[in-house]
Amino acid sequence: MIEGGGEMASVRELKEGLLSSDRGTAEPPENDRATDYVRNLLASIGCRPGYLWLALGVFLQAGQMTLIGKVSNMLGVGQAVFIRSCFSVTLIFFVNWRRAQGYGWREIAIVTCFGVTDILMALGIGAANLFIWNGDVTAITLNVPLPSIVLAWLLFSESMDRIDIVLVLFNAGGLIFVSEPSFLFPAGKIDPEHHNAALGFLMAFLALFCAVSVTLCPRALSYREAEDPCLMASVAGMIGIIMSLGVSAASPQWTLPNGTEEWAVAIALGFVCVSAIYSYVKALESESVMTVSVTITLSILLVNVYDFTFDERKPEWPKLVGIALILGSTFALKLKDIFLGCYEARS
């Protein structure tokens, strides 16, 4: 009897041990919860392809802005747009024609609108610089986030709260300080040749409208699951060739690049512009208009760093204030997005 009682006691202890082990696996310790939080944080940063395309797009957009300025000074605005368009057309060989065959009239209208406004934006920026100072053009045309976010909220019901509005306003203020427009910093920036300021401001606002359209069109196609960056870039290229030839025909002369350096800059412009369009559209496939439009403003900082480093321009206090506002608003928006994603993953 004693031996039997010992066997029963050992069986009872074995069952209690199994139950205690089950309870231990059902309730993970605090260390495991912290590990899950870190894992969710890293997943939200690294496993979103839109972030990767957007990071690439920031560098490509900065290169595009720098190279367009160089080619426009060498050959003219019309020829810079023509070179950019010729390279864009080459993406027609990579278009997903099976998807394109399912396009309705709405999808065709959106793609055409993207192509027309993309070229008008480039031409508008070039034309505005003929009449007003470049800082005024930049301050107007680069304030894409605010109108884009409002329209995305109205058209696509994308989320927007008070914190987002405040960060976007800080971003817009940073762009204005970086651009140093003459209506805020007039000292030494009055050019007698810029006699038709009203026309210059009109061209700059036209470029802003077109830049907003270029942002919203890919996002509209992503909601319809009909986005194709190769098709959109090639359509923009075909439209750009026609429009730039018309602009160049009205100019006094048409010149080819002269020398190895000019040819290298022109070819680099084509490759960088095509890559910038592709990465921008790919980012808008999965990321919101607010995220893309605010983050892409970091390219302005890279352009200014290039000017400070290679053109030996001395940074002035308005540009430093603007850089701080742009960096602060962009990173604050990113941190808000990341931590909200982690909170939703935990809940």
Side-chain angles (χ1 to χ4, degrees):
M1 293 295 294
I2 296 176
E3 294 178 355
E7 291 177 356
M8 292 178 65
S10 63
V11 171
R12 190 182 304 112
E13 291 174 356
L14 179 61
K15 289 182 177 180
E16 289 178 355
L18 291 175
L19 290 174
S20 62
S21 64
D22 289 339
R23 285 194 297 268
T25 57
E27 297 180 1
E30 292 295 329
N31 292 335
D32 291 342
R33 292 179 181 178
T35 303
D36 291 339
Y37 183 82
V38 173
R39 187 183 297 113
N40 292 332
L41 177 63
L42 296 175
S44 64
I45 298 174
C47 297
R48 294 176 64 169
Y51 276 5
L52 301 178
W53 286 112
L54 188 53
L56 179 62
V58 169
F59 289 95
L60 292 172
Q61 181 68 14
Q64 179 178 211
M65 294 172 62
T66 302
L67 291 171
I68 283 181
K70 290 183 177 295
V71 176
S72 297
N73 290 329
M74 292 187 306
L75 305 174
V77 177
Q79 288 177 256
V81 175
F82 177 79
I83 294 171
R84 176 179 184 266
S85 302
C86 288
F87 279 82
S88 297
V89 170
T90 59
L91 291 184
I92 197 172
F93 297 105
F94 304 98
V95 171
N96 186 347
W97 292 110
R98 180 176 298 177
R99 171 180 290 182
Q101 288 176 358
Y103 277 15
W105 68 268
R106 289 184 178 87
E107 288 79 8
I108 295 175
I110 293 173
V111 172
T112 305
C113 180
F114 174 86
V116 172
T117 53
D118 177 67
I119 302 304
L120 286 177
M121 176 185 67
L123 293 174
I125 292 173
N129 276 286
L130 299 177
F131 300 102
I132 60 177
W133 185 61
N134 181 61
D136 297 334
V137 180
T138 306
I140 295 171
T141 56
L142 292 182
N143 269 290
V144 177
L146 188 58
S148 298
I149 291 167
V150 173
L151 288 175
W153 175 62
L154 294 173
L155 297 175
F156 311 135
S157 299
E158 293 194 352
S159 61
M160 179 176 62
D161 54 29
R162 294 178 181 178
I163 297 177
D164 297 331
I165 295 174
V166 171
L167 292 177
V168 170
L169 290 177
F170 273 107
N171 185 267
L175 290 171
I176 292 175
F177 273 97
V178 167
S179 305
E180 295 184 62
S182 62
F183 53 81
L184 291 180
F185 308 95
K189 294 174 182 176
I190 299 178
D191 189 349
E193 295 183 358
H194 292 170
H195 57 278
N196 198 344
L199 182 58
F201 280 107
L202 178 63
M203 292 293 103
F205 277 106
L206 172 64
L208 171 62
F209 170 79
C210 293
V212 172
S213 174
V214 168
T215 302
L216 294 177
C217 286
R219 191 61 176 161
L221 287 178
S222 69
Y223 281 110
R224 295 175 173 272
E225 298 183 354
E227 70 281 357
D228 186 348
C230 294
L231 176 62
M232 301 181 79
S234 59
V235 169
M238 288 184 283
I239 296 173
I241 289 175
I242 297 172
M243 296 179 68
S244 61
L245 285 176
V247 171
S248 299
S251 62
Q253 60 181 356
W254 175 281
T255 59
L256 293 174
N258 184 19
T260 305
E261 181 179 357
E262 290 190 0
W263 275 106
V265 173
I267 293 173
L269 170 66
F271 279 112
V272 169
C273 287
V274 170
S275 302
I277 294 175
Y278 188 92
S279 60
Y280 194 69
V281 174
K282 291 293 290 184
L284 284 164
E285 287 182 7
S286 56
E287 300 302 326
S288 66
V289 170
M290 178 171 56
T291 299
V292 175
S293 61
V294 171
T295 306
I296 207 71
T297 59
L298 293 175
S299 60
I300 311 304
L301 309 186
L302 296 180
V303 173
N304 279 274
V305 170
Y306 176 87
D307 292 339
F308 299 152
T309 304
F310 297 99
D311 291 345
E312 298 181 353
R313 290 177 52 190
K314 294 182 179 180
E316 301 176 354
W317 72 264
K319 289 189 179 295
L320 297 178
V321 171
I323 288 173
L325 289 173
I326 293 174
L327 281 174
S329 60
T330 303
F331 284 116
L333 183 65
K334 281 284 176 279
L335 289 175
K336 173 180 175 289
D337 189 19
I338 290 171
F339 282 110
L340 280 179
C342 293
Y343 178 78
E344 293 175 357
R346 289 181 63 188
S347 60

